Amino acid sequence: MSASNRIDAALGKLKADGTRAFIPYIAAGDPSLSVTEELVLAFDAAGADVVELGIPFSDPIADGPSIQRATERALAAGVTVDGIFRMVERIRRSSDIPIAFMTYYNPIFYFGVAEFCATCKQIGIDGLIVPDLTPEDADELIPAAREHDLAAIFMVAPTSTDDRMKMIAELSTGFIYGVSLTGVTGARDTISIDLTPMLDKLRGYTNKPVCVGFGVGNAQQARDVAARCAGVIVGSAIVNTIEANLKTPEKIVPATKAFVEELVAAVRSV
Amino acid sequence: MLQPDERGRFGQFGGRFIPETLMPAIIELEEAHRHYQQDPDFQAELDYYLREYVGRPSRLYYARRLTEELGGAKIYLKREDLNHTGAHKINNAIGQTLLAQKMGKKRVIAETGAGQHGVATATACAMFGLECEVFMGEKDVARQALNVFKMELLGAKVTPVTSGTKTLKDATNEAFRAWVTHVRSTHYVIGSVVGAHPFPMIVRDFQAVIGREARAQILEMEGRLPDVLLACVGGGSNATGLFAPFYNDKDVHMIGVEAAGEGLDTKYHASPLTSGTVGVFHGARCYLLQEQDGQITEAHSISAGLDYPGVGPELSYYKDIGRAEFVGITDKEAIEGCKMLSRAEGIIPALESSHALAHLPKMMERYGRDKIIIVNLSGRGDKDSTIIAQALGVNL
């Protein structure tokens, strides 16, 4: 744990307070980078603890239809990695909210793993979540992330074996991303029964915070999940709120902020 | 044959760039595959189906008239076009479906572009009595109505994919997503030597029957090894199947022919090895077509089976170490290759295989009458009749 990393600092403080974290996800550039910038600042104001910011990739194999569509909208609007970096720099002028990039491995690989991590640190990014990367193939990413004090956040799934859970718990920094269900991202009506045994096992292996995502779609579910772990990640349901307001762009930020406020309140009520 | 290292890499290529949810299944799959590769009963059963059902061994045919017409090296054709379902794809579909059955999986999924691998997988599933779902881009569903009908006739469910480019690339994404969701009960029969380890190795192992047979056949017929192996490369399964068993025969040259589409100097081609760069796609590090920020681009070829922006890690490695040479053949040249074989030998080749054939005339200066070339005739051309007619300006 690093004192200077914003994710570690924020989650450490929440733990000390006995409070759970709320982590919203949005795809950068959906529907434009200026809206994304406003949304991140709005999430900060709404009390979100960490923001997961997606760098859109053409082939998001771990994502369900909501985030696929968000990704397609962002790419169609012409979002670039460089544009996202410059937006983060602008956000950092007025906000210290911890930000983790979520992106597939190829955009990082294409940029150059070491250069990508160096640039992330420089612009004020705090962690990386790469859904198609497990520790076995992260031999380039882990050292580069460590060197630049970025959290390398790995996922544990309901299908993970005990040995893999131990290995991932050991190597993941910032937090451990608990995947709540056997499937892709996307809001579900009910939370998977897969979740409890996984969290019980993880608790036996590590003291690191476990934040759970995939499938959490509303305040009730967020509260239920928050009761069982360190934090809750919501992506598709937030992205759906953006999508529902595309025809009335002025409503995107207030509507999405209001939804995040509701989710923050639900998580804090645990 | 060359074996990947313990992380599933051929040099820098390959690996397992997939969600954690799939990792336990993929490790289990590798263990099962390695076990059954050594299991004489499994191999005997596989041999039985390849012989009695697929019709193997496929012939190694001396193309006398084509050889005379081109006036250079002796040309042999490895007749994968004579297999049941008309292409090499069935070798892998039978192998993987048998493996799935042994692993206790009741359900199989597959991706398909034009439908050849989908039809092969639906065929194998019908024969073994497994449930089958095939993911196919919405554009391809519309373009390949006949193959959709065949798959359904064989009892498979065809699911149109509406995301992204609505073609093979996104059908593969959707198959991965379906596998993530149903990984405990389902086996994913990937159609080429691509994807996360162990898929490139598994598909290679099941396609290597092509090269093993060809090697024994040419030794029998000519008393020596060939000078060159020639095959088209999309994902790379027919090329790898032919090449891999000759890997240690250092004097045997290998040429892989990619689809140059409308030309390598245009955006409309499918040539990651000759014109692409290294990246990570569909679970493996390999050569691929990508643009700014590593976004994967759509591939273009007149041949649907070559229309894929990535390529297998083993062939990517062959390129880097110089074990094989890779060239491009345009849509127009491929049509000429198709006409050439049809008229010289009475064999209408698939447009995929036509790419390899079209390279032959360019080789004759380098390979004279004392040389031997084996071409993998990976599939037959019936499926392409409409497209070939269109290209020749004939309205059917």
Side-chain angles (χ1 to χ4, degrees):
Chain A
M1 185 162 150
S2 156
S4 61
N5 185 290
R6 294 182 193 89
I7 295 173
D8 288 335
L11 295 184
K13 184 171 183 306
L14 288 170
K15 189 179 181 184
D17 297 347
T19 314
R20 309 299 200 266
F22 179 69
I23 305 177
Y25 163 95
I26 47 172
D30 170 30
S32 70
L33 282 177
S34 60
V35 171
T36 302
E37 186 178 339
E38 283 183 63
L39 283 171
V40 173
L41 297 175
F43 294 169
D44 189 2
D49 300 290
V50 178
V51 170
E52 205 185 293
L53 194 57
I55 298 179
F57 176 54
S58 54
D59 294 82
I61 58 167
D63 285 305
S66 297
I67 294 179
Q68 286 175 44
R69 286 197 301 273
T71 296
E72 286 180 18
R73 284 194 296 272
L75 290 174
V79 70
T80 62
V81 169
D82 189 54
I84 294 168
F85 285 164
R86 280 187 277 118
M87 177 198 66
V88 171
E89 287 177 317
R90 289 195 297 275
I91 289 169
R92 278 287 171 254
R93 285 179 208 147
S94 57
S95 169
D96 249 340
I97 189 165
I99 302 174
F101 273 146
M102 163 128 170
T103 190
Y104 290 82
Y105 193 53
N106 198 48
I108 298 176
F109 182 84
Y110 184 88
F111 196 92
V113 177
E115 295 94 319
F116 187 87
C117 290
T119 308
C120 283
K121 184 62 192 175
Q122 201 186 332
I123 62 172
I125 289 292
D126 306 291
L128 299 173
I129 303 169
V130 188
D132 60 347
L133 194 68
T134 62
E136 281 96 333
D137 284 285
D139 51 320
E140 289 166 276
L141 187 94
I142 290 176
R146 301 274 192 273
E147 185 188 336
H148 297 289
D149 192 26
L150 296 171
I153 298 156
F154 289 102
M155 293 178 166
V156 167
T159 52
S160 301
T161 56
D162 293 8
D163 285 349
R164 294 192 59 79
M165 282 192 198
K166 271 185 224 173
M167 185 258 299
I168 295 163
E170 193 182 313
L171 288 169
S172 193
T173 49
F175 60 87
I176 296 158
Y177 193 127
V179 176
S180 78
L181 49 81
T182 307
V184 294
T185 60
R188 310 291 205 277
D189 291 336
T190 50
I191 287 292
S192 161
I193 49 159
D194 286 345
L195 182 58
T196 308
M198 179 180 83
L199 291 174
D200 286 347
K201 280 183 183 167
L202 274 174
R203 210 159 290 130
Y205 301 142
T206 182
N207 292 321
K208 290 178 185 172
V210 179
C211 298
V212 172
F214 282 43
V216 185
N218 58 46
Q220 179 60 46
Q221 289 173 344
R223 186 180 301 122
D224 290 349
V225 171
R228 295 188 264 172
C229 59
V232 180
I233 304 161
V234 175
S236 294
I238 291 174
V239 161
N240 289 343
T241 308
I242 296 174
E243 186 172 57
N245 288 286
L246 285 173
K247 286 192 177 131
T248 47
E250 72 283 0
K251 290 187 186 158
I252 291 176
V253 175
T256 310
K257 185 184 182 191
F259 183 43
V260 168
E261 279 169 344
E262 190 190 332
L263 293 166
V264 168
V267 167
R268 296 280 189 263
S269 73
V270 172
Chain B
M1 289 197 297
L2 183 65
Q3 295 303 328
D5 69 16
E6 71 280 1
R7 290 199 305 159
R9 304 272 182 123
F10 295 95
Q12 64 161 313
F13 300 104
R16 290 177 297 209
F17 295 90
I18 49 168
E20 168 61 20
T21 307
L22 292 177
M23 280 299 278
I26 220 154
I27 290 167
E28 182 194 327
L29 175 61
E30 180 179 355
E31 283 164 4
H33 177 67
R34 289 191 190 279
H35 169 77
Y36 286 114
Q37 281 295 103
Q38 302 300 322
D39 176 17
D41 291 342
F42 180 91
Q43 292 303 320
E45 203 175 343
L46 179 60
D47 286 348
Y48 168 83
Y49 288 114
L50 291 179
R51 186 176 68 244
E52 301 297 332
Y53 187 73
V54 177
R56 303 203 72 88
S58 69
R59 300 290 184 263
L60 186 69
Y61 169 72
Y62 170 48
R64 184 179 56 82
R65 290 200 64 235
L66 182 64
T67 298
E68 284 168 6
E69 188 179 308
L70 295 179
K74 284 179 89 167
I75 299 163
Y76 282 86
L77 304 175
K78 183 58 175 161
R79 297 290 307 274
E80 293 299 303
D81 61 317
L82 295 178
N83 293 341
H84 179 45
T85 69
H88 73 292
K89 290 287 180 195
I90 192 76
N91 303 328
N92 169 53
I94 293 280
Q96 280 204 57
T97 308
L98 185 62
L99 180 61
Q101 196 191 42
K102 298 289 176 202
M103 291 176 71
K105 307 285 181 183
K106 300 277 182 257
R107 181 169 172 266
V108 154
I109 56 171
E111 85 295 342
T112 199
Q116 295 310 111
H117 172 57
V119 169
T121 306
T123 299
C125 285
M127 202 261 288
F128 287 114
L130 295 182
E131 197 187 317
C132 179
E133 182 175 3
V134 180
F135 294 89
M136 189 170 184
E138 198 177 46
K139 274 192 202 165
D140 291 326
V141 169
R143 287 190 290 208
Q144 305 285 343
L146 184 61
N147 274 339
V148 174
F149 175 73
K150 280 186 193 169
M151 286 184 268
E152 287 171 348
L153 188 62
L154 290 160
K157 180 185 175 203
V158 179
T159 301
V161 174
T162 56
S163 57
T165 61
K166 303 178 175 61
T167 62
L168 174 60
K169 172 172 94 73
D170 294 276
T172 307
N173 292 342
E174 206 54 38
F176 264 108
R177 292 179 189 118
W179 199 36
V180 170
T181 307
H182 302 289
V183 61
R184 291 184 176 103
S185 64
T186 300
H187 175 67
Y188 176 20
V189 178
I190 205 163
S192 192
V193 285
V194 299
H197 176 70
F199 280 115
M201 176 178 76
I202 291 178
V203 178
R204 186 272 311 265
D205 289 347
F206 287 134
Q207 292 294 1
V209 66
I210 302 170
R212 279 199 307 273
E213 286 177 6
R215 199 171 181 285
Q217 287 165 325
I218 200 74
L219 286 173
E220 170 83 24
M221 296 164 84
E222 290 281 352
R224 71 174 184 90
L225 292 174
D227 297 284
V228 196
L229 305 171
L230 182 65
C232 65
V233 177
S237 70
N238 91 82
T240 311
L242 177 64
F243 295 174
F246 290 89
Y247 179 75
N248 291 316
D249 300 314
K250 296 297 178 197
D251 293 332
V252 178
H253 190 59
M254 300 167 178
I255 302 177
V257 183
E258 290 190 306
E262 295 179 16
L264 294 179
D265 51 348
T266 71
K267 277 174 71 182
Y268 303 101
H269 63 78
S271 301
L273 288 165
T274 40
S275 301
T277 50
V278 178
V280 174
F281 180 52
H282 285 159
R285 190 191 285 202
C286 62
Y287 279 94
L288 53 87
L289 302 179
Q290 54 187 337
E291 53 190 16
Q292 192 190 7
D293 296 341
Q295 309 295 351
I296 311 300
T297 55
E298 200 174 349
H300 290 269
S301 169
I302 191 168
S303 159
L306 301 182
D307 206 348
Y308 183 69
V311 67
E314 190 167 353
L315 290 182
S316 297
Y317 181 64
Y318 280 20
K319 175 189 160 78
D320 271 18
I321 61 168
R323 183 63 189 91
E325 174 190 354
F326 296 95
V327 298
I329 283 290
T330 64
D331 290 349
K332 278 187 182 153
E333 292 173 312
I335 293 286
E336 289 308 309
C338 177
K339 275 165 63 181
M340 176 181 79
L341 189 71
S342 301
R343 288 171 188 184
E345 297 288 350
I347 299 169
I348 302 176
L351 279 176
E352 290 81 3
S353 325
S354 298
H355 283 74
L357 294 162
H359 190 59
L360 281 169
K362 302 182 182 184
M363 295 168 65
M364 292 303 139
E365 220 168 285
R366 187 163 144 204
Y367 299 100
R369 289 173 195 276
D370 59 332
K371 303 293 194 224
I372 298 170
I373 300 173
I374 296 178
V375 188
N376 198 0
L377 192 58
S378 56
R380 60 175 171 246
D382 314 34
K383 68 181 178 64
D384 296 321
S385 303
T386 319
I387 298 164
I388 298 166
Q390 242 168 31
L392 295 174
V394 177
N395 212 340
L396 290 183

